[in-house]
Amino acid sequence: MAEKWTYSFGAGAAEGSVKLRDLLGGKGANLHEMSTIGLPVPPGFTITTEVCAHFTDSKGDYPDDLNAQVNAAIAKLEATLGVPFGGDHAQGKILLLSVRSGARASMPGMMDTILNLGLNDETVQILAKQTGDERFAYDSYRRFIQMFGDVALGVDHYHFEDLLEDYKLDHGLNLDTDLTADDWRALLPQFIDTIESETGAPFPQDPFQQLWTAIGAVFGSWGNKRAQTYRKLHDIPEDWGTAVNVQAMVFGNMGEDSATGVCFTRNPSTGENHFYGEYLSNAQGEDVVAGIRTPQPLSVAEKENSGLHLPSLEDIMPGLYAQLDEVRNTLENHYKDMQDLEFTIQQGALWILQTRGGKRTTNAALKIAVDMVAEGLIDKAEAIRRIDPSQLDQLLHPTLDPDAPRDILATGLPASPGAASGKLVFSTEAAEEWVGRGEDVILTRVETSPEDIAGMYVAKGILTTRGGMTSHAAVVARGMGTPCVSGAGDITVDIKAKTLSALGVVLNEGDVVTLDGSTGQVMKGLVPTIEPQLSGDFGTLMTWVDEVRDLGVRANAETPEDAKVARGFGAEGIGLARTEHMFFDPQRIIHMREMILARDVQSRRIALDKLLPYQRQDFTELLRIMDGLPVTIRLLDPPLHEFLPRRKADIKNVAEVLGVTVEDVERRAKELHEFNPMLGHRGCRLAITYPEIYEMQTRALFEAAADVAESGGTVHPEVMIPLVADREEFKRLKALVVTVADEVLNARGVKVKYRVGTMIELPRAALTAGEIAKDAEFFSFGTNDLTQTTYGLSRDDAGRFLQIYREKGVLADDPFVTIDQDGVGELVKIGTERGRAQRADLQVGICGEHGGDPASVQFCHDIGLDYVSCSPYRVPIARLAAAQAALGVKAQDNA
């Protein structure tokens, strides 16, 4: 049996339905569905996405039996309407067609459309006779030639626009509507001659040749630049392809009793349950979006709200408006979602050309979902499914005013969402100085280091020319909720000269730039932003989310500010507190450097004793804020050289304060220098060498826990030992932690339950997890470093080429953004299974940046982890993604 390539619809019947969305595309599936439920849809047929795949793979060929099926579908269409394609002079009737794209995911405006197909030098006369309107017929022919030439034959539209403008100028005409039938008749040969001169071939007069050329153009438009860019931005797979929808033309430009418009069943900006849209009388669809005429409001209420004085559709065609309103209710009740529909009124008859789930703001999406639950259209689970977790970023951070102009200098990686403007500064010191004067700043570096933390804290935004999505700048910025663009390789930063260069433009310190951390754009000057507003609908949805999800959600937080934000967003504790970030305050860093420069244990202990009160205060604040919730403290992780000064002036200052020579400081820095510090003397390796560091941190933590417990608080401290590769490392350091913890608690007479576990961030640790779990009470997978060590990639350098890998299809996703399930994910799965086989009550989570990525959250749910931990501002995203995972929603379903 031959494969079916075409599906017909119309006259209250259809061969397809929404269940065949993948095959018919979104637009086609909805046309079939609307036909089935009795809505007035111009009849036609859909050519499937499988034909697009064949067309693409064969570089322009079609399946052998497609021609016969298309001819049969045309014959069926002719029989339905009683009008022949190609026209009939005797009848004085003609069937014209529209040819439109329709992928399974909505891609508005990204692919091509051709209207009025079937017109030629002969059939235009039939159309004139049929309508009794010569001007309409020749204007329609002109539109077809222009659109067909541009879309199907590759003749740039400006050729036609220039001819039209010259003609109007020569004849003293101002508007297109001023041209008569004779004017269009005079212009048409020039349009046709232009096509022949530009293509080397005559304009096709045969309607069937026009049809096949148009079908090929629509299939070919799946691969055009704008469609590829849109798919990349919205994570739409390349192999989905588009369907082609061929429909009988209906005309909104056949007189004052005709019109065309676009409407939404609810307001797409606010979500309010009001009919929303616009229309033009005596116009075709492209006129609505072309901006040539001012569209008119749909309803009287909308006219009054907008302050426009143009008559609404409800004013001038009340009966047709009532029909359209009925269609609105029918569609919402059928699809149980807000719809975006296109309609045409042809000489008093209403036709629905398209419906699809309407694009909406995140605030509108929340309101619509919550309202539809209240209206009984959907249940809570469906409301949860409706919201794309990634879009919640729009609610939690400032966004750029979409109507404001942008002077884009470069595009880097969207490392931390939100938008910010400020004056360029190139050092932490400058950031603090300018902010102290009341200025907003954008801290700009080649790459950031822990030494920049103070400047990052005060900056409105952070820009780096190196680094990926999990670089130091990206991770810290996300934790603070600060917009960040990283890896902007087209920008050159000269730290000494204090300049930023891009596209031949040189900016100096103090010049204003704007960052969009959601898109990676870097813009010259100030671009206005819109502040986020959390509605009551957000809280309502989050309550439903927590009723559904199984996976816990914690936050990565080490400052009181981060911890408060995290708890406010519903975090169920702290899954990662990076203690190294606590040491960079000027009052503390000097004691840290004293400890590093010390030559014996006793001297190191003296320096560490000076740090202990600060560390204890840090832990006390976190435990109080997270009262009753677990707080996971990761003991010191980075190599010691990161805490030493680099600039000569700073080295000199440290030497003077500590009473040592500059040579002493430089010599120690040289001793600590490593060729690959990420795999060097860090994490638990430091504590094996210098156990007094972890002793101090453990003492500070449990003194803090005792203080909070004695004051009536409930504490659940968890001690995490990083970078363990071997059970013996963990066993020794756990013994150290337990000894100090019990000593403190016994001395204070306080009982505190605590856990000691490890961060699994090395493949060997995952593979030997069964052995490590003999001693470890919890695992937290550090998927940032586990991705680095599994792939052999530096997260700070990989940003330079990972985008190229994605563009060339080598990798589907950036593995630092979405967890690599086949490699890194398999190690997480193995480590979890082997750990729990040894210790049944082993608590397992992840604390890498993947904890806030919806697809990665889904993976964590699927393999049975206990929790994910992510940046505070991503906690709501993780909560929603976890609920959707529990409901069986796949992350790609939100594409």
Side-chain angles (χ1 to χ4, degrees), residues 13-165:
E15 294 179 331
S17 72
V18 289
K19 294 178 181 177
L20 297 180
R21 183 185 184 88
D22 291 359
L23 189 66
L24 303 178
K27 182 179 292 182
N30 287 329
L31 288 169
H32 286 259
E33 192 77 7
M34 287 194 293
S35 295
T36 301
I37 63 175
L39 294 184
V41 175
F45 60 92
T46 303
I47 305 174
T48 69
T49 56
E50 291 178 344
V51 177
C52 183
H54 188 286
F55 181 90
T56 303
D57 293 344
S58 64
K59 303 210 172 358
D61 287 339
Y62 297 107
D64 293 338
D65 50 347
L66 179 64
N67 187 63
Q69 291 190 28
V70 168
N71 288 339
I74 292 286
K76 186 173 183 178
L77 186 54
E78 291 173 326
T80 299
L81 294 173
V83 182
F85 179 53
D88 186 317
H89 277 282
Q91 288 185 26
K93 292 182 179 180
I94 183 172
L95 168 63
L96 300 179
L97 302 175
S98 66
V99 182
R100 291 182 171 94
S101 64
R104 73 170 87 164
S106 177
M107 297 172 59
M110 294 302 109
M111 290 176 291
D112 292 329
T113 293
I114 294 174
L115 305 179
N116 305 341
L117 187 139
L119 284 173
N120 58 29
D121 294 346
E122 296 290 325
T123 58
V124 67
Q125 299 172 37
I126 302 176
L127 183 62
K129 180 180 178 182
Q130 178 179 328
T131 61
D133 187 339
E134 270 200 328
R135 187 196 179 284
F136 163 75
Y138 282 94
D139 182 28
S140 297
Y141 190 20
R142 180 271 307 188
R143 290 171 186 261
F144 170 58
I145 294 171
Q146 201 165 337
M147 192 177 291
F148 190 87
D150 181 18
V151 170
L153 302 178
V155 180
D156 286 335
H157 61 85
Y158 73 81
H159 290 292
F160 308 109
E161 295 294 341
D162 287 351
L163 287 171
L164 179 55
E165 290 305 312

Side-chain angles (χ1 to χ4, degrees), residues 84 92 109 126 140 170 233 251 265 367 461 494 594 637 644 649 782 862:
I126 302 176
S140 297
D170 291 343
L233 290 172
F251 296 93
T265 58
K367 180 166 181 57
D494 188 328
E594 180 184 353
D637 183 40
L644 290 178
D862 291 345

Side-chain angles (χ1 to χ4, degrees), residues 481-660:
T482 301
C484 175
V485 174
S486 65
D490 292 335
I491 287 176
T492 301
V493 167
D494 188 328
I495 299 295
K496 289 184 178 178
K498 299 180 182 179
T499 61
L500 177 156
S501 307
L503 296 178
V505 176
V506 179
L507 300 180
N508 298 296
E509 186 171 67
D511 289 341
V512 175
V513 295
T514 298
L515 305 182
D516 187 344
S518 301
T519 64
Q521 291 179 344
V522 182
M523 289 147 279
K524 181 182 176 183
L526 187 145
V527 180
T529 58
I530 299 171
E531 288 301 312
Q533 291 183 333
L534 291 179
S535 66
D537 297 318
F538 174 81
T540 300
L541 186 85
M542 286 295 112
T543 300
W544 298 345
V545 158
D546 292 340
E547 292 169 0
V548 170
R549 65 183 171 88
D550 302 314
L551 192 66
V553 178
R554 300 186 187 181
N556 302 339
E558 49 273 341
T559 68
E561 293 79 10
D562 289 349
K564 288 173 185 174
V565 168
R567 183 137 199 181
F569 282 144
E572 297 163 314
I574 292 176
L576 172 64
R578 306 174 183 91
T579 53
E580 59 270 15
H581 290 172
M582 301 171 176
F583 294 127
F584 282 95
D585 182 275
Q587 290 181 304
R588 307 176 185 203
I589 190 69
I590 193 65
H591 303 308
M592 190 67 176
R593 289 166 173 169
E594 180 184 353
M595 185 275 293
I596 294 169
L597 292 168
R599 287 295 178 178
D600 54 62
V601 174
Q602 184 178 355
S603 300
R604 279 193 295 275
R605 288 190 185 278
I606 291 171
L608 288 167
D609 285 344
K610 297 174 185 176
L611 283 170
L612 190 146
Y614 295 114
Q615 189 88 109
R616 181 174 58 232
Q617 182 59 33
D618 294 329
F619 296 149
T620 299
E621 290 180 325
L622 293 181
L623 291 167
R624 286 194 195 284
I625 293 166
M626 290 292 166
D627 184 53
L629 298 175
V631 175
T632 307
I633 302 295
R634 183 180 73 183
L635 301 181
L636 191 68
D637 183 40
L640 296 180
H641 73 84
E642 288 194 6
F643 297 96
L644 290 178
R646 300 177 186 179
R647 293 181 283 267
K648 288 189 175 180
D650 293 334
I651 292 173
K652 183 180 179 182
N653 181 56
V654 168
E656 289 175 356
V657 172
L658 295 178
V660 297

Side-chain angles (χ1 to χ4, degrees), residues 129 266 344 355 545 633 773 808 875 885:
K129 180 180 178 182
R266 303 191 186 212
T344 286
T355 192
V545 158
I633 302 295
K808 294 190 173 183
V875 166

Side-chain angles (χ1 to χ4, degrees), residues 850-868:
H850 297 104
D853 169 64
S856 305
V857 170
Q858 179 188 309
F859 171 75
C860 293
H861 167 89
D862 291 345
I863 66 169
L865 297 195
D866 295 302
Y867 69 87
V868 296

